[in-house]
Amino acid sequence: MADGTTKTAKLTIDGKDYDLPVYSPTAGPDVIDIRKLYAQAGVFTYDPGFTSTASCDSTITYIDGGKGELLHRGYPIDQLAEKSHYLEVCYLLLYGELPSAAQLEDFENRVTRHTMLHEQMMYLFRGYRRDAHPMAIMVGVVGALSAFYHDSTDISDPWQREVASIRMIAKMPTIAANAFKYTLGQPFVYPRNDLDYASNFLRMCFAVPAEDYEVNPILSRAMDRIFTLHADHEQNASTSTVRLASSSGANPFACVAAGIACLWGPAHGGANQACLEMLQEIGTVDRIPEYIARAKDKDDPFRLMGFGHRVYKNFDPRAKVMKQSADEVLDLLGIEDNPTLQVAKELEKAALEDPYFADKKLFPNVDFYSGIILEAMGFPTSMFTPIFALSRTVGWISQWKEMIGDPQLKIGRPRQLYMGSTLRDYVDMENR
Ligand code: ACO
């Protein structure tokens, strides 16, 4: 916490002044500390949707929405996407610095040795209906990890916290792949420790016992880049859900399951599925004006999926890398003239040239192009959000670890602006 501040903000209520400390972060706007406001002035602040509220202090990720900048521990996402890889970014997010070669090898080794699931967990998958959405399976199975790994649920023990962190990063691809295999009616494919993280995931998703599966290094690199681009994103809805859940002292598996549930929504992680479905529904470039008109129509609930962001009022820097990746993957797979990519490119162009989107600063977000790559790889739309969830697990865990390690940790307990009935007497049934 930025203590020793010299700045204050003055708040006047009914002629009485209150001085509130103001903190200057290392980057971003100043923050007014209102923690003692209720005790001193007897008022709450009102900010549904947290549009002006910092819920914590953090050293992990920084976003400058105006510039379209995303930094992990200070390193820009485009450099990490180009020069680094997912597990190195995981290390950076979890421990604060880029690893040495020996540290990275040790970390990769630890993750690789935890990729298998307790065999009894396979019964859990089999208990779901075959047509279950893989996110429904993930919410349940990740929560159930706490029933299988009792030796890493005591959050007061740093060693257990560390083991839980490694377990979740390691097992999430296995869980997501199993959810996929189950809905396909194919046998589960067990992880292989000689493969890198992304290749192992692709193999668990696409291999079958009947024939060998060769991981295409181009697809593996693209997969790794998708993981990297989704690894963390500051205090978004699912991360805030994980933090709020863990503020009560709940075990880490339960908290990450809560994050997965939140991520599922179409305004958040579910947008990648919704976006590809929208691009496919549009189908051809000539129908774009109709959909742009619908997105602008106040009486139509339709929104351009993959467009707009609470924080970015400029290009989402992840979208730029994702667009380039989509071009590369389709090109290298020899998929020419992909109609969905054509629609995406023309839709992006049409929206960016339209004053409605320009005035509201609505730009493509990370989900606008990711679905095109995932579809080209062979994933159905229902797997898009599980892939986001497995990528974001490290972000949730890094933020959780940071929070648990904070000596000022308090249970999260927002207040409200109550607009309901005041005290009234119970009315007996015969008098209603
Ligand atoms: N299409 C059309 N209009 C939009 C869109 C869109 N995609 N997004 C926002 N707007 C308009 C709203 O109608 C609103 O207009 P108004 O001021 O005239 O009422 C204005 O822009 C501001 O929108 P809000 O919903 O108030 O902005 P907020 O910050 O709450 O929402 C959100 C951000 C949820 C991402 C929104 O832009 C959206 O629904 N986008 C589509 C879903 C999507 O792609 N989500 C993925 C987000 S990124 C992620 O989670 C990885």
Side-chain angles (χ1 to χ4, degrees):
M1 171 58 69
D3 282 321
T5 181
T6 50
K7 286 193 205 169
T8 52
K10 199 175 285 300
L11 177 71
T12 307
I13 304 172
D14 289 338
K16 193 163 178 220
D17 288 342
Y18 299 92
D19 286 328
L20 302 167
V22 177
Y23 304 129
S24 295
T26 51
D30 284 354
V31 172
I32 304 171
D33 182 349
I34 55 159
R35 281 176 297 173
K36 298 206 173 104
L37 185 63
Y38 178 56
Q40 289 172 351
V43 294
F44 299 144
T45 55
Y46 180 61
D47 186 18
F50 301 108
T51 50
S52 300
T53 297
S55 60
C56 61
D57 52 300
S58 180
T59 61
I60 302 173
T61 292
Y62 173 71
I63 302 171
D64 185 324
K67 276 203 254 170
E69 183 178 75
L70 167 61
L71 311 177
H72 291 321
R73 306 284 190 186
Y75 297 104
I77 190 66
D78 44 332
Q79 287 184 24
L80 293 173
E82 191 198 325
K83 298 181 180 178
S84 183
H85 63 275
Y86 182 67
L87 281 186
E88 187 178 61
V89 173
C90 288
Y91 186 100
L92 175 68
L93 289 167
L94 282 169
Y95 305 112
E97 295 297 336
L98 289 169
S100 66
Q103 285 168 327
L104 183 60
E105 193 187 334
D106 171 64
F107 179 69
E108 289 183 336
N109 212 23
R110 280 189 291 144
V111 170
T112 305
R113 306 281 156 214
H114 280 90
T115 48
M116 283 177 67
L117 296 175
H118 191 293
E119 191 57 24
Q120 236 174 306
M121 292 195 81
M122 300 307 174
Y123 295 110
L124 282 180
F125 290 95
R126 295 192 175 105
Y128 285 89
R129 272 174 58 141
R130 285 277 176 202
D131 59 357
H133 194 288
M135 281 298 275
I137 300 180
M138 284 192 77
V139 174
V141 172
V142 172
L145 288 171
S146 45
F148 287 87
Y149 300 99
H150 302 284
D151 59 345
S152 50
T153 51
D154 177 0
I155 60 160
S156 64
D157 177 349
W159 184 84
Q160 294 204 26
R161 297 205 294 259
E162 179 65 17
V163 176
S165 307
I166 298 288
R167 277 189 172 139
M168 274 189 277
I169 294 166
K171 294 184 197 306
M172 210 56 88
T174 317
I175 294 171
N178 281 7
F180 179 43
K181 283 298 196 190
Y182 183 74
T183 57
L184 289 178
Q186 292 182 4
F188 301 130
V189 175
Y190 286 75
R192 252 187 38 197
N193 289 355
D194 59 327
L195 294 176
D196 63 74
Y197 194 84
S199 303
N200 187 40
F201 176 63
L202 287 172
R203 187 181 165 276
M204 287 191 289
C205 288
F206 297 118
V208 286
E211 64 183 48
D212 273 353
Y213 176 80
E214 282 283 312
V215 182
N216 180 330
I218 296 151
L219 295 190
S220 166
R221 176 73 189 125
M223 189 79 256
D224 189 86
R225 196 172 271 177
I226 287 179
F227 293 161
T228 302
L229 291 174
H230 288 89
D232 189 44
H233 212 230
E234 206 227 61
Q235 308 311 321
N236 56 84
S238 56
T239 302
S240 299
T241 301
V242 171
R243 279 188 178 256
L244 192 58
S246 36
S247 76
S248 73
N251 77 67
F253 305 112
C255 297
V256 168
I260 294 174
C262 175
L263 186 79
W264 196 358
H268 192 9
N272 52 14
Q273 171 169 355
C275 180
L276 193 83
E277 286 166 358
M278 174 195 77
L279 294 172
Q280 289 169 337
E281 187 187 310
I282 296 174
T284 49
V285 168
D286 58 301
R287 297 189 66 202
I288 289 173
E290 177 197 333
Y291 282 81
I292 294 262
R294 283 188 61 196
K296 288 159 52 176
D297 181 356
K298 282 261 159 265
D299 298 324
D300 189 329
F302 173 77
R303 283 186 169 200
L304 276 194
M305 300 313 286
F307 250 81
H309 197 276
R310 169 61 62 77
V311 181
Y312 292 119
K313 301 303 166 199
N314 201 325
F315 251 87
D316 179 338
R318 302 167 300 173
K320 285 187 193 162
V321 183
M322 207 64 97
K323 182 179 185 178
Q324 193 193 334
S325 233
D327 274 333
E328 281 168 17
V329 167
L330 296 188
D331 189 36
L332 289 161
L333 287 177
I335 304 174
E336 281 159 21
D337 301 329
N338 176 285
T340 317
L341 185 63
Q342 291 305 323
V343 170
K345 284 186 173 173
E346 289 304 318
L347 181 62
E348 178 191 322
K349 199 160 155 263
L352 291 176
E353 284 168 1
D354 191 301
Y356 172 93
F357 294 91
D359 293 350
K360 293 185 190 302
K361 298 193 175 11
L362 298 170
F363 293 91
N365 61 48
V366 68
D367 291 324
F368 197 67
Y369 286 103
S370 61
I372 293 168
I373 307 176
L374 292 172
E375 197 205 24
M377 286 176 169
F379 287 105
T381 51
S382 61
M383 273 304 285
F384 294 1
T385 317
I387 289 169
F388 190 162
L390 94 80
S391 322
R392 182 56 57 83
T393 297
V394 69
W396 292 329
I397 292 169
S398 304
Q399 304 269 349
W400 164 76
K401 274 182 78 179
E402 181 179 69
M403 194 183 91
I404 298 293
D406 182 352
Q408 300 191 44
L409 172 64
K410 268 183 181 306
I411 185 166
R413 197 346 181 150
R415 304 307 289 256
Q416 63 173 2
L417 169 63
Y418 179 67
M419 300 298 279
S421 303
T422 51
L423 180 69
R424 52 182 173 163
D425 286 327
Y426 180 79
V427 182
D428 292 330
M429 186 64 83
E430 57 272 25
N431 296 326
R432 285 178 218 164

